Amino acid sequence: MKFICVYLFLFLSNNTILSWENIESDQKNQISNWLFSSSRNILDGKSVQKTDIIFPQIKSGLFVTLILNSKVRGCYGAFYHDSTDSKFLIEKYLRGALRSDPRYRPLSSEGIENMQIVLTFAAEPEIVEDIYSIDTEQYGIMAESGSSVFILVPAELKMRDQVAQFMTKIKAERIYKFKSYTITFTQIP
């Protein structure tokens, strides 16, 4: 049964990735504009604007990562979701990346025009024995230590040696990799 569930998740993940890979440039620009205006509204305490954009479905893991001045400033998401509404999920995780990642102070709307917003679509994690065997351009890393779970998407991974040191520091008991597809959005002038 688990094999069938994993296969189904991978099949659905691949369909999600294909639907996001194939979005038209006009649609990508609309999504980019919505992401940045939503970010400003969230940071200014306003409601996120309604939109007519049709977002491709998400049936895989989704993480929203914020990069400001070449540094990660927030990441939020999950492998499994409580909704099938793509806009709702992206807004929820955008809000989390802006305000709720405990590793970073919440952002302000200053300098948001220099920010990149990265959407990472993630397949089911699979266990690995050697962290150095992971291609960090295509895979993210998940580690378990006691009851804690640590997830690093490709946008957060810089050097494998730093990741290996982090895994040692947290005393990772199990390390997983997950296939990822990322789309980076920048402010459109």
Side-chain angles (χ1 to χ4, degrees):
M1 181 66 171
K2 184 173 174 108
F3 177 72
I4 292 170
C5 291
V6 169
Y7 178 76
L8 182 60
F9 185 87
L10 289 173
F11 173 76
L12 294 173
S13 297
N14 288 338
N15 283 345
T16 294
I17 290 169
L18 284 175
S19 63
W20 280 87
E21 272 183 331
N22 294 325
I23 61 174
E24 305 278 328
S25 62
D26 286 347
Q27 187 180 14
K28 186 175 179 183
N29 289 343
Q30 289 176 334
I31 293 170
S32 183
N33 287 333
W34 178 81
L35 284 167
F36 282 92
S37 70
S38 296
S39 295
R40 268 188 219 82
N41 288 348
I42 290 167
L43 292 171
D44 292 340
K46 298 177 184 173
S47 297
V48 172
Q49 292 178 336
K50 300 218 181 289
T51 182
D52 293 333
I53 300 169
I54 298 171
F55 290 85
Q57 270 201 314
I58 297 173
K59 293 184 179 176
S60 65
L62 170 67
F63 298 87
V64 176
T65 307
L66 308 175
I67 300 174
L68 184 61
N69 300 323
S70 302
K71 294 182 181 173
V72 174
R73 286 301 315 272
C75 185
Y76 213 81
F79 283 101
Y80 307 101
H81 316 289
D82 56 3
S83 173
T84 58
D85 181 340
S86 298
K87 180 201 163 287
F88 170 80
L89 291 173
I90 293 169
E91 180 183 331
K92 176 182 176 179
Y93 298 146
L94 176 63
R95 188 177 300 278
L98 287 164
R99 292 282 186 210
S100 301
D101 186 332
R103 299 172 297 173
Y104 306 98
R105 283 193 281 172
L107 291 170
S108 69
S109 56
E110 272 183 45
I112 201 169
E113 64 276 355
N114 299 322
M115 185 170 70
Q116 294 177 313
I117 301 173
V118 181
L119 299 184
T120 300
F121 304 94
E124 182 79 10
E126 56 188 80
I127 200 157
V128 294
E129 299 297 322
D130 178 15
I131 195 164
Y132 291 100
S133 69
I134 301 171
D135 177 354
T136 56
E137 303 244 338
Q138 294 184 27
Y139 289 86
I141 297 173
M142 181 176 89
E144 295 176 343
S145 178
S147 61
S148 298
V149 176
F150 302 89
I151 298 170
L152 299 169
V153 297
E156 294 180 289
L157 299 170
K158 293 198 189 255
M159 297 178 2
R160 257 186 249 166
D161 288 337
Q162 288 178 327
V163 174
Q165 289 172 358
F166 176 72
M167 295 300 156
T168 301
K169 179 181 173 184
I170 65 165
K171 297 182 172 117
E173 296 159 2
R174 283 172 299 291
I175 300 172
Y176 302 81
K177 68 178 182 178
F178 55 90
K179 183 84 170 146
S180 299
Y181 174 73
T182 60
I183 303 175
T184 301
F185 295 90
T186 55
Q187 182 76 44
I188 299 171

